[in-house]
């Protein structure tokens, strides 16, 4: 019985469940379609990465003797969606009696796939995506009976489940979490170790020309694209990280330095999230480096926590809570996204640095996303929908299953505490502690109400004041609100007035 095996652009893995039993008559479909490329204005680098990686993956499958139906992007063609692509493949290849696909990573597309049995009148088999360590059924079982779904406890269960960095049922070193050792500020004279970069081959050059022609108004430039687009190169990039960057990653994973966007970060989420890397292989390489004495425990544990803790946790939450999760707006944030989120032209050095890195590389690291662009959005009350769409569009590693919980829940606290136990709100003092941005900024980080005061300072207190009914009862916010209450009425009025003026002038910051 011939099958049509549909492979999506973030499923470019030979270990994909739907590719494990391919018969000689089966057809593998990969399609570059306008609907997936344009439903948000994806960064040029993200589109280049996915289209080029898809073409390389298809070529490998063909070299292995498999039948591949590959549809290249054509804006004017009638094939604009994955449903159109499936219909075309079924028309071109007679005798297909079943569609097979691995569950996708986005609720919107999953609902489309769910409609295929009725639309095409043939069976559609949807397989679990076992590239993840925790199945959705396992995650759902883990949530049963819990009043709060905290990542730390999920992470500990994942450590027990995988045995990673465990010995005799206990965590190596006696602690589950070395996060307290991973928050060091980086000396200004630190020399970062760059992620491995790759030159473009003919396939990628062709895709770059396509993207420049068809997506010219999207963020970024095609000229400086340097990501890996094959599994082989992605693995090489990760091994470079483990050998060269990981030893210092632990200490400085939260640090930021002017004009040094990477420091010791791997950027390998870009490869992992589209299927070019395997999470189990990555974890094993990190653990081996620790046991070989090549990296300290805090670095190994910190990276493992990101892979089997946060990544698996947010995926589980996404599928558990969608579609209603996307509509949460607990703090009623409605203000329009300032235009500088798209062009990076602002006098706020921290925002300029995070956004410029995003524009140039389709990348900024997790603290820049959470505590700079995310924190500003939280404090200013920016529209949850506009902010989450921006994050989904501009980062090369962003797919809705991972982007939405991290942005809506962790950065914006729009879910009211489902993901995070308190808002990740901070004044300029945090950024001054973790970076050298403030020393190079037009605004004064230790001022709150002066004309040249850091905008984050007044906005921080304004955020707390306007959301006091929602947040003041949170036990983790008690000290912060006590500090606010101790201020005299004149100080409070001046701070709130400064914040209101700042909000009126967001576009001029």
């Amino acid at each position: 019985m011939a099958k049509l095996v549909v492979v999506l652009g973030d499923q470019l893995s030979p270990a994909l469940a739907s590719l494990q039993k391919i018969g000689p008559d089966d057809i593998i479909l990969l399609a570059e379609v306008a609907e997936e490329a344009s439903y948000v204005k994806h960064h040029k680098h993200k589109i280049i990465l996915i289209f080029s990686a898809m073409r390389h993956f298809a070529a490998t499958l063909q070299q292995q003797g498999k039948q591949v139906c590959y549809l290249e992007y054509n804006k004017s063609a009638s094939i604009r969606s994955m449903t159109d692509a499936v219909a075309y493949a079924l028309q071109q290849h007679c005798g297909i009696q079943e569609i097979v696909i691995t569950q996708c990573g986005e609720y919107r597309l999953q609902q489309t796939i769910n409609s295929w049995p009725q639309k095409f009148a043939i069976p559609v088999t949807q397989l679990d995506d076992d590239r993840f360590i925790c199945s959705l059924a396992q995650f759902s079982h883990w949530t049963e009976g819990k009043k709060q779904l905290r990542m730390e406890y999920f992470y500990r269960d994942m450590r027990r489940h995988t045995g990673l960095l465990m010995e005799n049922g206990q965590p190596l070193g006696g602690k589950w979490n070395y996060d307290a050792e991973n928050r060091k500020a980086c000396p200004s004279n630190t020399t970062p170790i760059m992620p491995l970069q790759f030159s473009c081959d003919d396939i990628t050059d062709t895709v770059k020309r396509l993207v420049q022609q068809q997506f010219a108004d999207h963020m970024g430039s095609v000229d400086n694209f340097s990501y890996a687009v094959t599994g082989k190169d992605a693995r090489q990039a990760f091994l470079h990280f483990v050998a060269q960057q990981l030893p210092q990653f632990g200490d400085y994973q939260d640090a930021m330095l002017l004009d040094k966007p990477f420091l010791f970060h791997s950027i390998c989420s870009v490869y992992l999230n589209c299927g070019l890397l395997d999470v189990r292989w990555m974890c094993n390489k990190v653990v081996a480096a620790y046991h070989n004495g090549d990296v300290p425990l805090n670095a190994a544990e910190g990276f493992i926590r990101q892979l089997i803790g946060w990544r698996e946790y947010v995926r589980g939450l996404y599928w558990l809570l969608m579609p209603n999760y996307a509509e949460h707006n607990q703090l009623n944030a409605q203000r329009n996204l300032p235009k500088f989120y798209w062009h990076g032209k602002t006098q706020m050095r921290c925002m300029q640095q995070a956004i410029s890195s995003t524009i140039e590389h389709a990348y900024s690291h997790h603290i820049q996303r959470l505590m700079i662009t995310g924190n500003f959005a939280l404090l200013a009350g920016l529209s949850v929908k506009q902010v989450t769409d921006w994050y989904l569009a501009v980062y090369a590693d962003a797919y809705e299953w991972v982007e939405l919980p991290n942005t809506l829940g962790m950065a914006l606290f729009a879910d009211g505490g489902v993901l995070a136990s308190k808002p990740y709100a901070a004044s300029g003092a945090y950024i001054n502690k973790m970076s050298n941005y403030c020393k190079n900024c037009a605004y004064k980080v230790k001022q709150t109400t002066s004309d040249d005061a850091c905008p984050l300072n007044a906005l921080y207190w304004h955020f707390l004041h306007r959301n006091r009914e929602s947040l003041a009862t949170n036990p983790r916010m008690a000290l912060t609100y006590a500090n606010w209450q101790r201020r005299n009425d004149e100080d409070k009025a001046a701070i709130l007035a400064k914040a209101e003026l700042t909000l009126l002038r967001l576009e001029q910051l």
Side-chain angles (χ1 to χ4, degrees):
M1 181 176 74
K3 304 187 295 288
L4 180 68
V5 180
V6 182
V7 176
L8 303 174
D10 61 347
Q11 298 180 340
L12 307 179
S13 169
L16 191 70
S18 48
L19 292 175
Q20 297 315 296
K21 296 181 179 179
I22 299 294
D25 297 326
D26 295 340
I27 306 298
I28 301 172
L29 170 67
L30 293 98
E32 305 165 4
V33 294
E35 186 174 277
E36 299 306 311
S38 304
Y39 68 95
V40 294
K41 293 188 72 170
H42 296 291
H43 196 293
K44 290 186 181 76
H45 286 200
K46 185 178 183 181
I47 302 174
I48 296 168
L49 169 76
I50 295 173
F51 282 8
S52 181
M54 287 174 67
R55 294 184 186 193
H56 282 88
F57 190 68
T60 298
L61 292 172
Q62 290 172 325
Q63 289 166 7
Q64 295 170 350
K66 298 178 174 66
Q67 295 192 67
V68 177
C69 175
Y70 195 95
L71 304 179
E72 294 185 357
Y73 183 87
N74 185 338
K75 186 177 181 179
S76 61
S78 59
I79 301 173
R80 300 192 56 79
S81 67
M82 286 307 302
T83 299
D84 294 339
V86 170
Y88 174 85
L90 292 175
Q91 183 182 46
Q92 294 297 308
H93 301 276
C94 299
I96 298 292
Q97 296 177 287
E98 180 186 12
I99 300 170
V100 177
I101 189 169
T102 299
Q103 185 183 33
C104 76
E106 188 159 316
Y107 185 87
R108 169 193 60 86
L109 182 55
Q110 189 60 48
Q111 301 318 296
T112 297
I113 294 168
N114 291 344
S115 72
W116 287 355
Q118 182 175 2
K119 181 172 182 61
F120 298 120
I122 59 174
V124 177
T125 299
Q126 298 189 46
L127 303 175
D128 290 342
D129 193 345
D130 57 10
R131 296 175 301 164
F132 290 89
I133 295 171
C134 182
S135 71
L136 298 181
Q138 285 174 301
F139 187 85
S140 180
H141 178 72
W142 176 80
T143 67
E144 292 175 1
K146 290 182 172 61
K147 293 182 179 179
Q148 293 183 317
L149 306 178
R150 292 292 170 247
M151 192 283 292
E152 177 64 25
Y153 301 109
F154 171 78
Y155 167 59
R156 293 180 186 186
D157 284 346
M158 291 296 287
R159 288 273 295 277
R160 296 185 184 100
H161 173 68
T162 60
L164 293 166
L165 297 177
M166 299 288 288
E167 187 173 43
N168 298 323
Q170 297 298 317
L172 287 175
K175 294 195 297 185
W176 290 104
N177 188 316
Y178 289 85
D179 194 40
E181 299 178 23
N182 295 344
R183 301 173 183 169
K184 296 177 184 175
C186 207
S188 296
N189 61 355
T190 298
T191 301
I193 299 174
M194 289 287 291
L196 208 57
Q197 297 180 319
F198 298 87
S199 58
C200 298
D201 62 8
D202 290 343
I203 292 176
T204 303
D205 282 337
T206 300
V207 171
K208 285 169 60 178
R209 288 192 292 271
L210 167 71
V211 170
Q212 183 57 38
Q213 292 166 2
Q214 301 295 334
F215 303 94
D217 62 339
H218 288 219
M219 181 183 281
S221 167
V222 304
D223 295 333
N224 63 329
F225 180 84
S226 60
Y227 285 124
V229 292
T230 66
K232 179 182 178 181
D233 283 349
R235 289 188 293 274
Q236 185 183 357
F238 185 71
L239 293 176
H240 167 83
F241 163 71
V242 173
Q244 302 294 327
Q245 299 170 279
L246 183 56
Q248 296 184 78
F249 166 81
D251 287 350
Y252 302 126
Q253 65 175 280
D254 287 3
M256 298 167 283
L257 287 181
L258 189 72
D259 297 329
K260 297 177 181 177
F262 300 109
L263 287 182
F264 304 103
H265 287 264
S266 78
I267 73 165
C268 285
S269 58
V270 171
Y271 308 135
L272 176 60
N273 289 353
C274 71
L276 297 182
L277 288 177
D278 176 79
V279 68
R280 295 171 181 84
W281 178 84
M282 295 169 72
C283 288
N284 289 334
K285 293 298 181 183
V286 170
V287 171
Y290 165 71
H291 284 300
N292 290 339
D294 296 328
V295 301
L297 182 55
N298 71 311
E301 186 278 322
F303 196 80
I304 292 291
R305 182 167 10 107
Q306 291 187 8
L307 290 178
I308 70 170
W310 269 117
R311 184 173 184 268
E312 300 274 340
Y313 171 75
V314 297
R315 175 183 180 254
L317 272 184
Y318 175 83
W319 287 108
L320 182 74
L321 300 176
M322 284 294 283
N324 294 334
Y325 191 76
E327 305 304 317
H328 284 302
N329 191 356
Q330 175 71 20
L331 303 180
N332 194 32
Q334 305 286 354
R335 192 167 280 106
N336 285 331
L337 191 76
K339 292 182 177 61
F340 56 71
Y341 268 80
W342 293 103
H343 56 62
K345 297 175 183 176
T346 169
Q347 295 183 81
M348 291 180 289
R349 184 64 73 192
C350 58
M351 290 289 284
Q352 179 268 327
Q353 286 283 295
I355 296 170
S356 294
S357 171
T358 300
I359 293 169
E360 186 171 358
H361 304 292
Y363 167 85
S364 64
H365 73 63
H366 66 282
I367 292 299
Q368 292 172 315
R369 299 189 202 193
L370 175 64
M371 299 307 299
I372 296 184
T373 50
N375 180 54
F376 184 88
L378 174 70
L379 300 185
L382 303 185
S383 161
V384 173
K385 180 67 167 62
Q386 291 180 33
V387 174
T388 55
D389 279 355
W390 182 82
Y391 275 85
L392 184 60
V394 302
Y395 292 115
D397 58 1
Y399 301 87
E400 195 179 72
W401 64 266
V402 65
E403 175 276 326
L404 187 67
N406 271 308
T407 306
L408 183 149
M410 193 173 185
L412 302 180
F413 203 70
D415 63 6
V418 174
L419 189 149
S421 58
K422 74 176 185 71
Y424 278 84
S427 67
Y430 173 84
I431 295 169
N432 193 37
K433 175 184 175 184
M434 297 307 301
S435 78
N436 62 354
Y437 294 162
C438 301
K439 296 180 179 66
N440 299 274
C441 186
Y443 296 105
K444 301 296 187 291
V445 69
K446 295 186 179 181
Q447 299 295 317
T448 301
T449 57
S450 63
D451 289 344
D452 59 355
C454 172
L456 295 174
N457 293 338
L459 289 178
Y460 173 75
W461 294 113
H462 189 274
F463 165 79
L464 294 172
H465 180 77
R466 74 175 184 267
N467 292 299
R468 58 195 180 279
E469 289 186 11
S470 297
L471 301 178
T473 57
N474 185 318
R476 296 193 65 192
M477 301 293 290
L479 180 61
T480 303
Y481 274 100
N483 289 337
W484 174 243
Q485 291 304 321
R486 277 196 290 269
R487 291 178 177 268
N488 63 50
D489 289 344
E490 185 178 354
D491 283 348
K492 289 181 182 177
I495 291 169
L496 295 178
K498 173 65 175 179
E500 290 286 352
L501 183 62
T502 301
L503 291 171
L504 287 173
R505 299 177 175 175
L506 283 185
E507 295 289 358
Q508 287 76 51
L509 290 178

